[in-house]
Amino acid sequence: MNHDTQGAPRATANTANAWNLHEVGFDAADGTRLFYRHWQPREPGEARADTPPRALVLLHRGHEHSGRVAALVRDLGFTGDHAFAWDARGHGHSPGERGEAPDFATLVEDLNAFVTHLHRHHGIAPQHMVLVANSVGAVIAATWLHDHAPQIRGVAMAAAAFEIKLYIPLAVPALKLGLGFKPGLQVTSYIRPGMLTHSIEEARAYGQDPLIAKQISGRVLVDMADTSRRIVQTAAAVDTPVLLLVADQDYVVKLGPQKAYFDGLASPLKRWVALKNCRHAIFYESEPVRSEAIAQCRTFIEACFAQPMPLPQRMLTADVNSASAKVFSAHTRGELGSGLTRAFFGLQRVMLGSLGQLSHGMSVGLAQGFDSGASLDCVYRNQAQGRFGIGAVIDRGYLDAIGWRGIRLRRKHLQQTISELIEACPAGESVRILDIAAGGGRYLLETIKCHGDRDVQLTLRDRDPANLKMASDLARELGLTAQLSVEPRDAFDATSYANQRTQFDIVIASGLYELFADNAPVMRSLSGVAQSLKPGGALVYTGQPWHPQLALIAGTLRNHVGKAWVMRPRPQAELDGLVQCAGLTKTSSRIGLEGIFTVSVARRPLSAG
């Protein structure tokens, strides 16, 4: 194989014969069977015969399909490595109405399912993968990096569609209005082939490809626009290597959000390459632009594979040196915006102290703290109550706040995850479960009630005896007292985990770590949890990687100790890093409403090996 001066392989005339092409399928998280292509190297690279297999994972543009990236696989020239690309649902050979998907989050989950499939069925670990993604595919990859925090080598993004140029005034509000009347509303692309590339041949090939669909789901477009704003805003949570290729004559997407995303990244290895005389379809441009883009990708991919994976210990100090730590510090000092914003928060506090007393949920939050177990129990119940009629109306508005809706979805994800773990335990054996900060225990006790055919031994702990009494009362109501023991303990006290005779199959840390900004107590707890798990046992842990109302909450609400409720969202990568430092290995995550809350599972290794 030839190499350029940076050590990246050059494509040769024989490169196209370097792989065997397989066309197969994988099951997405919802069971949908999606089509993908696998370029399997006929021979491993000469220098890599004794090293783990590596792979490029390619994400096609919107409207397109995996067959369109075949030339890119060939010209990147990594002939000793695997390459994979799948047809997004509603595209190419994958099923579904053309351009359609349930929502944008489903496309992100499909990427996660695809990488999981590649690991399980082809033996290629994520840390030996680099993604190459174009346009909409780049937004899918960026969202996956933020929400799932995968341990991959890097991502090369071309013309990332963080904000699409919509030439029709008020196009997004019109789409949202239209979706209210027609949920399946689709939009036909206004882009002509000649607007994508200067290459006449490539424009003709695009226009004549029967598998390219011109329509796309209006719901996916709206979801992608909302998600893109979040991902650009929270780019500092990502420290994975990233290459951004941008086009100077892009008629499809805006440059500003791509630059904002790049500037916000915490990645030690990040590269910005502005290509001149280049349109949106960067990898289908005329020469010499296309060759420059491919050379930049090759060099970046080699750099990603050349450096070691970052150690999880880097996350131990993220509570003092990260972007989220800086925002938390500012909010703690009362720096919540302009004088007008602070005045608005003051008015909110006055209204909360008066009208809020009419709402049952607000009155509980005012009395015990809006982050308390009692407050959370009200949110879980989701039953609007209040005084004088108007109180119930106020309570409904309070319970429907985005954060509380996210909390309820988190409960659903918790119950699904715990149920799956119980079912995965050997039949006929006791399943021992520990919740280290159970609060009232409602979500867990209700879940256990649904597994009456299993011998589940449940231990609930909490630092507040009142919460444990609430849990005991509910257990009696549900008929679960024979299976329950309660222990007043502090989840952050190392002695709480000492001298345990029982090793648990499942340990749960729900709604806990996100309430505390410092990493040291979280690590004490995680270390104790690791000791509490039997080999192969599972930790279920929740996270809050971001929140859209941090300043509002800090300026208006009080926590369980009577202070301003100032939160430090802990990015998923940071939380997973702490879990890894405790000796546990993350296996999966469920992402909640707008990515605000997550539910993840990590395992204790079966042995030291």
Side-chain angles (χ1 to χ4, degrees):
M1 190 189 314
N2 297 325
H3 291 76
D4 61 19
T5 54
Q6 287 83 21
R10 286 191 187 279
T12 70
N14 296 322
T15 299
N17 298 318
W19 297 273
N20 291 316
L21 177 61
H22 305 280
E23 297 183 343
V24 283
F26 74 99
D27 292 327
D30 64 357
T32 302
R33 187 74 174 175
L34 301 179
F35 171 85
Y36 75 93
R37 290 176 166 90
H38 172 202
W39 290 266
Q40 181 180 18
R42 292 181 176 177
E43 296 182 6
E46 294 178 4
R48 303 190 53 263
D50 297 323
T51 59
R54 307 189 318 192
L56 301 183
V57 179
L58 298 98
L59 286 72
H60 62 73
R61 292 179 53 249
H63 307 290
E64 299 197 4
H65 57 91
S66 61
R68 293 270 296 168
V69 304
L72 181 57
V73 172
R74 177 197 67 213
D75 292 340
L76 283 171
F78 289 89
T79 55
D81 298 317
H82 298 256
F84 300 92
W86 87 100
D87 290 358
R89 59 180 68 212
H91 293 71
H93 296 300
S94 285
E97 186 175 350
R98 297 301 84 183
E100 185 61 73
D103 48 32
F104 184 75
T106 299
L107 301 179
V108 179
E109 292 302 318
D110 288 347
L111 170 56
N112 190 63
F114 188 48
V115 171
T116 301
H117 172 82
L118 299 184
H119 190 190
R120 290 176 179 172
H121 292 268
H122 297 282
I124 305 175
Q127 58 264 36
H128 301 303
M129 298 179 187
V130 171
L131 271 60
V132 180
N134 194 185
S135 189
V136 172
V139 183
I140 294 172
T143 307
W144 183 60
L145 281 183
H146 180 277
D147 291 354
H148 286 271
Q151 295 189 49
I152 61 169
R153 290 286 176 164
V155 180
M157 302 182 186
F162 292 124
E163 186 173 354
I164 296 174
K165 291 182 177 179
L166 299 172
Y167 296 95
I168 301 174
L170 303 176
V172 173
L175 267 178
K176 291 182 177 179
L177 179 63
L179 287 167
F181 292 98
K182 185 179 180 181
L185 178 66
Q186 288 203 330
V187 177
T188 300
S189 174
Y190 61 86
I191 298 297
R192 299 187 305 274
M195 298 171 69
L196 295 171
T197 173
H198 289 90
S199 169
I200 297 174
E201 293 81 5
E202 289 290 356
R204 183 183 299 114
Y206 180 88
Q208 295 177 350
D209 191 327
L211 290 179
I212 289 179
K214 301 296 184 181
Q215 65 266 34
I216 190 169
S217 164
R219 180 175 56 257
V220 168
L221 281 177
V222 169
D223 285 351
M224 186 174 73
D226 293 339
T227 301
S228 293
R229 283 191 290 272
R230 169 171 71 88
I231 295 305
V232 170
Q233 176 187 340
T234 58
V238 175
D239 65 358
T240 302
V242 172
L243 165 69
L244 261 77
L245 298 172
V246 298
D248 69 336
Q249 297 178 12
D250 199 324
Y251 295 111
V252 181
V253 302
K254 294 183 178 181
L255 175 66
Q258 296 179 74
K259 189 64 166 66
Y261 178 75
F262 178 83
D263 290 342
L265 288 169
S267 311
L269 172 58
K270 61 178 183 177
R271 296 177 181 173
W272 170 273
V273 178
L275 298 165
K276 295 182 178 180
N277 199 31
C278 182
R279 293 178 182 167
H280 180 67
I282 289 175
F283 295 125
Y284 307 92
E285 256 298 356
S286 56
E287 296 296 348
V289 177
R290 183 175 184 276
S291 290
E292 181 185 355
I294 290 174
Q296 292 286 352
C297 275
R298 284 201 305 261
T299 303
F300 172 75
I301 292 167
E302 283 290 349
C304 291
F305 282 131
Q307 66 178 19
M309 290 293 294
L311 296 175
Q313 284 76 13
R314 72 192 189 283
M315 296 302 181
L316 294 173
T317 57
D319 54 344
V320 294
N321 61 17
S322 66
S324 66
K326 294 176 182 177
V327 172
F328 174 76
S329 180
H331 286 177
T332 301
R333 295 192 300 268
E335 299 173 10
L336 301 172
S338 66
L340 184 61
T341 300
R342 293 195 299 275
F344 171 73
F345 291 160
L347 178 62
Q348 291 277 81
R349 288 195 300 272
V350 171
M351 295 178 64
L352 181 64
S354 54
L355 293 177
Q357 297 289 354
L358 302 177
S359 156
H360 174 68
M362 288 186 177
S363 61
V364 170
L366 288 166
Q368 301 189 45
F370 287 88
D371 64 342
S372 66
S375 183
L376 191 62
D377 197 54
C378 290
V379 172
Y380 281 158
R381 285 178 179 272
N382 195 27
Q383 297 173 355
Q385 303 175 58
R387 295 186 290 168
F388 311 125
I390 188 64
V393 176
I394 296 172
D395 205 39
R396 173 46 55 200
Y398 168 73
L399 292 171
D400 285 345
I402 187 171
W404 294 145
R405 285 188 286 126
I407 283 284
R408 288 193 290 274
L409 180 56
R410 184 186 71 180
R411 176 181 65 174
K412 178 180 177 181
H413 285 169
L414 273 165
Q415 292 177 321
Q416 290 173 338
T417 301
I418 294 166
S419 289
E420 289 171 1
L421 291 172
I422 291 173
E423 291 302 316
C425 290
E429 295 184 10
S430 294
V431 182
R432 295 178 174 84
I433 301 177
L434 166 66
D435 192 324
I436 62 173
R442 176 174 296 276
Y443 76 93
L444 181 53
L445 290 168
E446 290 177 348
T447 303
I448 301 306
K449 181 67 175 177
C450 296
H451 291 272
D453 58 328
R454 299 299 301 265
D455 177 16
V456 178
Q457 303 299 318
L458 187 60
T459 301
L460 301 184
R461 295 177 182 170
D462 200 274
R463 63 187 301 177
D464 187 348
N467 286 336
L468 294 177
K469 182 180 185 306
M470 189 187 311
S472 297
D473 291 344
L474 179 60
R476 278 193 294 272
E477 179 183 330
L478 296 173
L480 298 175
T481 51
Q483 301 167 271
L484 175 70
S485 63
V486 296
E487 300 174 352
R489 295 192 189 182
D490 183 347
F492 294 115
D493 187 345
T495 61
S496 295
Y497 306 94
N499 302 319
Q500 286 187 161
R501 294 184 178 180
T502 301
Q503 283 192 309
F504 295 91
D505 299 279
I506 303 168
V507 175
I508 302 166
S510 168
L512 176 65
Y513 298 145
E514 50 264 47
L515 298 180
F516 298 87
D518 295 343
N519 282 347
V522 173
M523 277 308 305
R524 285 199 301 272
S525 175
L526 285 170
S527 297
V529 165
Q531 298 171 21
S532 303
L533 281 169
K534 73 177 188 180
L539 164 66
V540 180
Y541 61 103
T542 63
Q544 181 180 303
W546 87 293
H547 199 291
Q549 298 174 323
L550 289 177
L552 173 65
I553 291 171
T556 58
L557 304 185
R558 298 287 168 178
N559 62 18
H560 62 284
V561 294
K563 297 182 179 179
W565 187 9
V566 181
M567 296 186 289
R568 183 179 80 85
R570 186 175 276 107
Q572 192 66 36
E574 179 185 337
L575 180 57
D576 292 346
L578 300 182
V579 168
Q580 192 176 356
C581 286
L584 307 176
T585 301
K586 175 184 166 182
T587 59
S588 65
S589 284
R590 280 185 161 100
I591 311 301
L593 179 67
E594 295 190 22
I596 298 174
F597 296 104
T598 62
V599 176
S600 302
V601 176
R603 293 275 184 178
R604 179 180 173 182
L606 287 169
S607 66

